[in-house]
Amino acid sequence: MDNPGVRRRPVQKRSIDRVERILDACARLLDEVGLDALTIVDVARRAEVPSGTIYQFFDGKTGMLRELALRNLELLLVRLRRRVAAEGPLTWPRAAELVLAETVEMRRTVPGYTVVDFADTRPGGPTFLPPGEAQEGGDVLAERLYHFAVDEAGLPPLPDPYRVTRLAIQATAAALQLAFAASPQGDPAMIEQGRRLLRAYFADVSSPG
């Protein structure tokens, strides 16, 4: 997936490892200082590389954050593949529950994920994922999750799929923002409300007629 904020893609293992170290440092600092206070200088210091090294690979803070968001998206898909393989035949409501469960677990355990998963979740905050390609109101996250569900998990197509998936993503984000506002582990009762909301929504949109 394209990241226009990447100046150069590493090829050699040493450079690949260095970029991963930069992203790891970025994620840990996000947990410690937050998005606004994050600086290239601090990331470089934590990653034990010169600041110039970061600019060799990224155009700055935004490019680095976008790459972290893309890495988190790929990690989410890897985790979903494992869950689906262990789950057996799925329905859309159950698939929505699995996505929520994995997202909650990543927020609890993946450094930086509670601060920036795929977007700056504050009002008016930018997304760190590139724009989608679907004309029917899609975005990258909605498109990737929907195609994963249909092409890999074997779920039947949905009517107006990208709008449905985008709305589900936004509803999930709102529920999790409330759930994690007061605790790094999340409020279980609010997470459960989000699960019920998703399950009911997908039961409705996936039902015949």
Side-chain angles (χ1 to χ4, degrees):
M1 195 178 301
D2 183 49
N3 177 359
V6 171
R7 285 180 166 157
R8 178 167 67 89
R9 287 283 177 193
V11 177
Q12 297 181 341
K13 185 179 184 305
R14 180 179 178 185
S15 294
I16 293 172
D17 290 344
R18 189 174 298 157
V19 168
E20 288 300 305
R21 197 161 72 245
I22 289 168
L23 294 177
D24 289 343
C26 176
R28 290 193 298 270
L29 281 168
L30 279 167
D31 278 344
E32 295 172 16
V33 305
L35 184 62
D36 291 334
L38 183 77
T39 67
I40 293 291
V41 171
D42 288 338
V43 172
R45 185 180 299 115
R46 179 65 64 89
E48 299 181 343
V49 299
S51 297
T53 299
I54 296 179
Y55 287 107
Q56 287 178 12
F57 296 105
F58 304 110
D59 65 1
K61 179 176 171 178
T62 299
M64 182 175 58
L65 289 169
R66 176 170 283 184
E67 194 69 8
L68 180 60
L70 289 169
R71 189 175 76 165
N72 285 342
L73 174 54
E74 293 305 321
L75 177 58
L76 174 61
L77 291 170
V78 167
R79 294 173 68 116
L80 287 173
R81 288 186 183 103
R82 292 174 184 160
R83 288 292 293 264
V84 168
E87 185 80 10
L90 288 177
T91 62
W92 274 106
R94 180 57 181 158
E97 289 178 330
L98 294 182
V99 173
L100 176 63
E102 287 300 330
T103 302
V104 167
E105 187 62 20
M106 287 181 71
R107 278 179 169 259
R108 288 171 173 165
T109 61
V110 175
Y113 205 89
T114 55
V115 180
V116 52
D117 41 18
F118 307 117
D120 177 355
T121 55
R122 297 169 300 183
T127 177
F128 295 117
L129 290 176
E133 298 179 359
Q135 296 181 356
E136 302 87 355
D139 60 26
V140 164
L141 182 56
E143 291 167 18
R144 291 294 296 275
L145 287 176
Y146 179 70
H147 286 293
F148 169 78
V150 173
D151 299 337
E152 297 189 45
L155 288 166
L158 290 175
D160 202 5
Y162 301 119
R163 290 189 180 90
V164 166
T165 309
R166 285 189 76 190
L167 179 57
I169 290 168
Q170 292 300 318
T172 300
L176 293 185
Q177 186 173 11
L178 291 170
F180 284 87
S183 167
Q185 294 301 305
D187 173 14
M190 184 59 71
I191 293 169
E192 171 62 13
Q193 291 300 318
R195 186 195 68 79
R196 294 177 63 187
L197 183 153
L198 285 174
R199 185 169 184 87
Y201 179 55
F202 277 99
D204 178 63
V205 298
S206 62
S207 62

